Amino acid sequence: MGEGIVMALKQARSQKAYEKALSLMPGGVNSPVRAFRAVGGTPFFADHGEGPYLYDIDGNRYIDYLMSWGPLIWGHAHPEIVRAVTEAAARGMSFGVPTEWETRMAELVISLVPSIEVVRMVNSGTEATMSALRLARAYTGRPVIVKFEGCYHGHADSLLVKAGSGVATFGLPDSPGVPEATAKTTLTAPYNDLAAVESLFAAHGERIAAVIVEPVAGNMGCVLPEPGFLAGLRALTERYGALLIFDEVMTGFRVALGGAQARFSVRPDLTTLGKVIGAGMPVGAYGGRREIMSLIAPDGPVYQAGTLSGNPLAMAAGWTSLSMLAAAGDALYERMERYGQALVDAFVALGRRKGIPTFGVAVGGMFGLFFHEGPVTDYAAAKACDTRMYARFFHAMLEEGVALAPSQLEAGFLSAVHTEAELAETVAALERAFARL
Ligand SMILES: *Cc1c(COP(=O)(O)O)cnc(C)c1O
């Protein structure tokens, strides 16, 4: 029997569930990459998760490196986080007046993220970046923003330009529906290309409100900033009076406790957060220098609001997760990186043995696996990867009980509850998967 047929039998209930979902939701999903279009086949449906394991509705168990696309740094259904959320829920789901949870959360986020003096909670990463841009434009009185090819900052109109990730997977350079006038206010440069940013500033310096960047890119696979790139952006934005925005929706509390800005010692003016900050609940945040944040309503004229922002369940989950991270400290990030590096090393060595070009990166609790000889430093390189090989590899790993991201242009995620045992099992799975490539 072919591999595809074996898996189809093992996932019969998921297939049925997907067929039903297809008639009711666009592509059967509520977020495009979940539909597996980049790797073919049909998605499996989650039944429940426990620690590093995800179980589908057919009863298959996977060691999970998707981790809900990053938020689950404490794994699935961590007892402390579940307890915090259920206790909060029993007291009321939402109030629409302030709670002390919000203050507790703000205090903790400000203490952990070096550049944040004042913070505003929102409900998603998209909302955070969209709001940060509005604020940057208001603060500088300038219309234009600079972003990097292959960086994804959520689906706000002005950020859906060369946006990597799911957008790239679907070959939509710019989404239809984004007004041309809006797209025109977004300038793009290749990631890690400081000279390109310098020429954008030379030509349009007085009109640029902000440079927004993923300080480690995680939406074109996992791509590291080259030495001097982030510091160079800091210097350029300062010289031209523009703001530097680190989109740490993925990297925040994930590449280090204080995010990429702590790890690479560069202080942005504004930071956006998401994913890990909510521990699986819908949370985003943006924050930065007091002087800039004081423009936000009701202190200032820049409007931004949310009926469910700072929701008590979300704050309880996020606060509990971040407190546990703070207690675990740097040792946790070092261990996750060691495990990620071990996975990358095994992947690269197995590829080399078979004559298949492979390259990988591990940073904190994030990693990237590329079918490319490397190094992958920008979107052009990331796009040149062998996506067909990745699709075969992805399905082979699924059959071996390991869930990776269903696209090569996405990062992989470790958690605090992945242990040596899962690592060893994953390396064994890699060996068997490569034997079939
Ligand atoms: C996921 C992501 C976003 C969007 O966050 P959502 O919660 O999906 O809206 C923005 N920026 C980066 C860097 C991300 O990884």
Side-chain angles (χ1 to χ4, degrees):
M1 261 192 293
E3 281 164 27
I5 295 169
V6 173
M7 209 58 203
L9 290 175
K10 283 164 83 176
Q11 295 186 334
R13 291 180 74 159
S14 277
Q15 293 214 338
K16 246 183 129 183
Y18 187 56
E19 273 158 35
K20 172 145 198 203
L22 270 175
S23 65
L24 302 169
M25 291 173 271
V29 293
N30 282 309
S31 194
V33 279
R34 294 181 197 166
F36 277 28
R37 297 279 166 88
V39 289
T42 54
F44 61 87
F45 277 51
D47 180 70
H48 69 285
E50 195 184 332
Y53 297 105
L54 170 56
Y55 295 82
D56 70 16
I57 58 175
D58 287 282
N60 300 303
R61 188 193 82 169
Y62 307 95
I63 302 175
D64 191 4
Y65 294 99
L66 185 60
M67 288 284 122
S68 186
W69 301 87
L72 305 184
I73 203 158
W74 288 104
H76 293 277
H78 191 285
E80 296 274 320
I81 298 170
V82 171
R83 188 157 55 88
V85 172
T86 47
E87 279 180 15
R91 302 172 71 86
M93 306 282 280
S94 177
F95 301 105
V97 298
T99 65
E100 289 182 310
W101 271 121
E102 295 164 79
T103 317
R104 231 172 275 159
M105 183 70 161
E107 211 166 23
L108 186 53
V109 169
I110 289 165
S111 77
L112 294 177
V113 184
S115 71
I116 296 188
E117 295 172 5
V118 176
V119 68
R120 168 64 62 87
M121 291 292 151
V122 291
N123 305 289
S124 69
T126 292
E127 234 188 292
T129 54
M130 185 180 83
S131 310
L133 281 195
R134 182 182 305 140
L135 176 58
R137 284 171 164 146
Y139 178 80
T140 58
R142 300 171 177 181
V144 173
I145 60 147
V146 175
K147 77 176 285 292
F148 294 91
E149 291 162 22
C151 280
Y152 177 67
H153 303 292
H155 61 83
D157 280 353
S158 50
L159 290 165
L160 270 188
V161 180
K162 298 192 179 168
S165 199
V167 193
T169 298
F170 295 102
L172 308 173
D174 312 303
S175 173
V178 174
E180 209 185 313
T182 305
K184 271 192 183 149
T185 60
T186 304
L187 303 174
T188 62
Y191 197 75
N192 275 321
D193 189 344
L194 206 50
V197 182
E198 208 154 357
S199 3
L200 288 178
F201 270 107
H204 310 280
E206 286 90 80
R207 301 186 69 235
I208 296 174
V211 173
I212 185 166
V213 65
E214 287 182 71
V216 172
N219 287 287
M220 48 174 154
C222 182
V223 176
L224 289 173
E226 290 186 338
F229 176 58
L230 298 174
L233 294 180
R234 179 67 285 183
L236 268 176
T237 44
E238 252 163 34
R239 190 184 331 147
Y240 284 92
L243 298 186
L244 179 61
I245 305 172
F246 275 7
D247 181 356
E248 298 228 43
V249 169
M250 189 182 289
T251 55
F253 317 108
R254 176 153 288 283
V255 300
L257 186 56
Q261 56 195 273
R263 182 161 178 140
F264 298 103
S265 302
V266 175
R267 301 283 177 270
D269 300 294
L270 292 174
T271 301
T272 56
L273 296 164
K275 299 195 167 107
V276 171
I277 197 174
M281 297 291 285
V283 184
Y286 64 103
R289 279 169 30 216
R290 180 175 302 276
E291 178 213 357
I292 305 171
M293 290 299 289
S294 69
L295 286 187
I296 296 292
D299 273 354
V302 179
Y303 197 69
Q304 185 274 309
T307 302
L308 295 176
S309 295
N311 173 269
L313 276 62
M315 296 299 99
W319 184 87
T320 304
S321 166
L322 294 187
S323 300
M324 284 161 46
L325 289 175
D330 294 343
L332 168 60
Y333 293 90
E334 283 156 20
R335 190 178 79 220
M336 287 193 293
E337 184 162 316
R338 204 165 63 241
Y339 289 1
Q341 194 60 52
L343 292 179
V344 165
D345 289 347
F347 175 81
V348 170
L350 286 162
R352 199 161 292 158
R353 208 174 304 159
K354 280 207 96 170
I356 300 171
T358 43
F359 176 74
V361 170
V363 52
M366 241 171 112
F367 63 91
L369 305 174
F370 295 102
F371 285 103
H372 184 289
E373 66 205 17
V376 178
T377 57
D378 62 13
Y379 190 40
K383 271 198 308 191
C385 290
D386 188 344
T387 51
R388 279 213 197 123
M389 185 69 84
Y390 185 85
R392 289 174 58 199
F393 169 69
F394 168 82
H395 285 291
M397 288 299 281
L398 260 195
E399 279 206 52
E400 296 295 343
V402 177
L404 297 167
S407 163
Q408 187 161 221
L409 295 178
E410 305 286 353
F413 301 104
L414 281 149
S415 80
V417 298
H418 284 78
T419 68
E420 296 281 352
E422 283 78 42
L423 180 64
E425 213 181 303
T426 307
V427 170
L430 281 171
E431 283 164 4
R432 290 192 299 269
F434 266 88
R436 290 199 260 138
L437 289 183

